[in-house]
Each structure stands twice: as C-alpha cells, then as structure tokens.
Amino acid sequence: NGFYYTPYYDLLNQPALGNNTFTPPTKSNRAFSPTTLSGMLIPRLQMSSTAWLKCYIENPNFFKQFNAAYFDVDSANVSTANDITALRSIVRGVLPMVEAQPFDQWYEQQFILDTSVTPGPKLYVAVQPTFPSNTQGDDSGAAAFLVYYNTSLTPAGLGDETDLSGIVNPIYWDFTFQNRLFLGFASDAVPVTNGFGTVAPFFTNIGGTPKDQMRIAMDFPVNREYARVYFPAGQTGTVAAPNDFSGVVVGADSGSLRVQFDSGTGQTLTVAQGEFGGQGGPTNAFSRDVLVLTPAGASAITYQRNVFHRKGASAPIFKLVAPGPTDTLTHVFQAGPQMISLPIKPLSGDMAKVLGVKPDSLLLAQYRQDLNSTDKYQRYPSLPLYQPGYGLWSSFNSNLNPTISGLRTDVDKDISVPLLFGWNQIGSPYNANLNVVSQDISVSYLGGDAVTLSEAVTNGWVAAGVTGFSASSGYVDIITTVDPLV
C-alpha cells in the first residue's frame, strides 16, 4: 500500500493528465517502471491523490461525509458509481468550497479529474527541483521528465495510449521574455524515445538582480505539440537548507506577498523577477495556506492552496496567476466555413462542450502535415487537445455565441508554437490582434535564435506571405491585404 503526494501540484496540473482510465489497455500488462514514470501512471496517481487530499484538508470529515451521502444515493440508484454529474453533485453537497472557490469551479480546473477522452498526441512535463549541494554551490536547477503519447478510443470506450517518439528543442526564457537563455547541454536537442525523455537544466549565469533568481519559462515543443512549465530558479534552497515554500507569479514580475498558514503564523515576502521563496510555516502538518499577492501598482489578489508542509522536504511550489488562473470569453462565430482560433486554453478537451454544440453537428477540422494518409485534415471528434496558437477550420450551421472558460494565455507574453514542414494552421493565442508585419511573430529554426518573420523568409525558413481566409474573398495574404472578415 502507498500514497502518492506531490508538493509541485501547481506546476504539474496540465491538460495531458485527462483520461477515463489510469491503465490504458496497451499498457496494462507492462511492468511498473518508476524510472520512466510508467508512462502517465505515476503522474496520475500522485496528482489524483493530491487533488482529493486538498478536499480532505479543506474538511477533515470530507471522506466520511461523502461516503455516507454516496451510499444513500447509490442504494436508490446503482448507476451512480459511473455518473460523473451525480458524483459531483454529492461532493458539492458536502464540500461547497475548495481552496476559496466553489467546488464546481475548482473541479473544472483540475485536469486530473477530467474523465473525457480526447484523441491525438499529448506531451506531459513532470518537473521537480534539483538542489545545489551546499550554500556556496550554484548548481541549482530543475529536472524535467517528458511523457509523449497518443490517445485513441477503444471499442469499449476506454482511452488507450501508445508511446510516441520525437525530438524536443527546449526553449528557456528569462522573466522578461526578452531574453532567451542558452543553458549548455540542456539547450541541446532532447530525444524522446518510446514515450519518455529527460533534461535537467542548471539555472546559473542567467543574470538578473538578485543574480540567478528569477521565474523561468521552459517550453518543450515536439512535432505539433508543446508544453510550457514555469520554475522559481534559485528559490527552492539547498539540500541542507531547502526553502519551506517557493513559487512563481505569472502575469506580474514584482510586488509583495503575504502568506498566512493554518497554524496562525505568517510572513510577508517580496516578489522579485516573477518569483518568491521563504522559510517558516507548519511542521509536518496540513495547512490551508492563504496567499495575498499585491502586484506593483495593482490591487491585492487572494489565493488559497491546501498543502502539506514537512520541514526540510515536501516544500510546496506555488504558481500564482495574476489576475487569476482562468478567464471567460465570449465571441460570435459566423455561420459557414471559416478559420478560427481561441485565445485561451479550454478547461475541457471536448470542443463540442467548449463551444456548446451538439457533438453530432460540430464540424471542425485542422490541417496536419503529420497525418499518415493522403487526407491531411484531422476532424472532430478525432482532433487533439486544442493548444493556443493553432487554427481550426469550422463550419457552423448558424451564428454561434459561446461562453468559453479556460486558462489565460495573455499573461504568458510569448508562446512558442512548433511548426512542421509544409502548411500549418496558426492563430493568435492572445485576446488581441497581432501585427504580422512587425515583430509580433518571430521564427526560430532548429532551436536557434529567433528572428523576425521577414528575416525568416529571407533565410528560406518559411515561404513568403501569411494566408488567411475571408468569407467574402476566400484566401488572402493578410500581409498585403486588409480584409475585416479575416
């Protein structure tokens, strides 16, 4: 018997966790392999255990009260065990709030609790700190474990998973997103073989004031997929003296942070270069940590994290998004053929649910050069997880005005979108127009320095022109043509 817990939950809460089984058929008979995370098994075990532990920390009677309510309902309806809506209703009744959010709102943000099956390739990045050996050492960094796999739906309705292989060219950004960091061997191409790869960058000589202490954004593109994780460089401490907590702030680079523990103690920290870290807090205890962030020149924002503190180990790493992790957007999509994109990362992998359209009437497609067939269009419901920065073809029966909730991308400043040889469908990842002529779009080739789009054309990396689609004019080059319908 064992229990998986991760103090890095905030960093590891990624869409690739979702599936309706922890043991996909193809992998169910394989030997357990901790060194390769056994595919997605270890990440899902530790994230699911930690998610439900958060409910227990919120209310120590949660499991007892849930079980009592569940058996009352199940005795009247034996199908309750497989009814997600009914189960959520039971939890909501005994635990209306989790981490200062209504249960349903909190639930939708926990990707490990997403039991929908989204076909297609996925990339998951499990990250944890590596500590300098002593107080004078400068060899602090992070270890990143890459799990790359493809999901398909079995006739029985299970989400099967098969390993994929590819080459990742990591991209590291400093807290300003103005400087790309080249970190020696960690910036070299990383092979992902049979679904697994590793890289461990050291965050030394990266600049900043104070030196080598800043929020780092790590992008891992492979084929058409990408994942970004953040890390508080220099704030996790040493092996002998680890910090008791640390974290990154995404959307603000400076300000103050007040951390209040269940024990009644607390402290005020300075947020500098997008990160923070500190000592103190409970010893070997659960805690509902309340974090009040006041970004420079902005109003205070309150967060709550239900975590376990153990002195010298299990130190939580927080990720605080200002003004908040999620956003809700509305937009009127016109009927008929058009190209669309979403400036948000949807909380659900099912695009019919995201757009509020019946699955049997949703017409969505994406051009994918990597398809092993003469037909290069991937269609819903076989589309992979939507990632901001990509475009889709749509054809709605009538005008559509959905309300879409998801993770903010405006706070990310720069987003790296991997492209394949040939045509690629792209779209703005931000809730604002991009100027394709200026430096809003830059291009990097095989992990090299990024250059402007015009320089990339001159270098022969990409063809001239950016083609859009207008309902009135058809295909147009949006660099040379102004069409309000594009």
Side-chain angles (χ1 to χ4, degrees), residues 155-355:
L158 292 177
D160 200 9
E161 294 175 358
T162 53
D163 296 333
L164 296 175
S165 299
I167 298 295
V168 173
N169 289 290
I171 302 172
Y172 307 98
W173 298 99
D174 75 351
F175 77 101
T176 69
F177 282 93
Q178 300 299 311
N179 301 306
R180 182 175 169 186
L181 304 173
F182 290 90
L183 305 177
F185 70 90
S187 293
D188 295 340
V190 177
V192 178
T193 305
N194 297 325
F196 187 75
T198 62
V199 63
F202 292 118
F203 301 128
T204 57
N205 299 316
I206 59 176
T209 306
K211 177 177 177 287
D212 294 344
Q213 294 184 10
M214 67 177 69
R215 179 192 65 229
I216 299 294
M218 300 184 285
D219 290 341
F220 299 99
V222 55
N223 296 326
R224 281 290 300 273
E225 278 55 56
Y226 69 88
R228 166 173 290 178
V229 292
Y230 289 96
F231 194 82
Q235 286 290 2
T236 52
T238 66
V239 171
N243 267 345
D244 292 325
F245 62 91
S246 59
V248 296
V249 176
V250 181
D253 297 335
S254 60
S256 65
L257 180 71
R258 175 67 183 175
V259 184
Q260 194 72 33
F261 307 105
D262 257 351
S263 60
T265 62
Q267 57 181 282
T268 300
L269 307 168
T270 297
V271 175
Q273 301 182 145
E275 67 170 14
F276 59 89
Q279 296 280 339
T283 300
N284 296 335
F286 298 123
S287 178
R288 293 168 296 177
D289 292 357
V290 176
L291 304 99
V292 181
L293 170 69
T294 306
S299 301
I301 309 167
T302 300
Y303 311 80
Q304 181 179 315
R305 294 292 188 270
N306 297 350
V307 296
F308 177 68
H309 288 271
R310 176 181 292 166
K311 198 72 174 176
S314 295
I317 298 181
F318 301 114
K319 176 185 173 184
L320 308 180
V321 179
T326 61
D327 200 0
T328 299
L329 303 177
T330 61
H331 181 77
V332 177
F333 295 100
Q334 301 298 318
Q338 62 188 310
M339 277 203 285
I340 66 172
S341 64
L342 304 180
I344 198 169
K345 185 179 291 183
L347 294 176
S348 173
D350 186 345
M351 290 300 290
K353 180 179 178 182
V354 170
L355 295 170

Side-chain angles (χ1 to χ4, degrees), residues 16-19 21 24-27 30 39-40 44 149-152 159-163:
L17 288 163
N19 201 348
T21 177
T26 298
K27 298 191 173 186
R30 293 188 183 181
M40 290 297 294
R44 287 180 175 135
Y149 68 96
N150 185 76
T151 302
S152 59
D160 200 9
E161 294 175 358
T162 53
D163 296 333

Side-chain angles (χ1 to χ4, degrees), residues 61-71 87 90-91 94:
N61 292 314
F62 165 70
F63 291 114
K64 180 171 69 175
Q65 293 174 351
F66 171 81
N67 285 338
Y70 168 77
F71 285 116
L87 292 171
I90 296 172
V91 176
V94 300

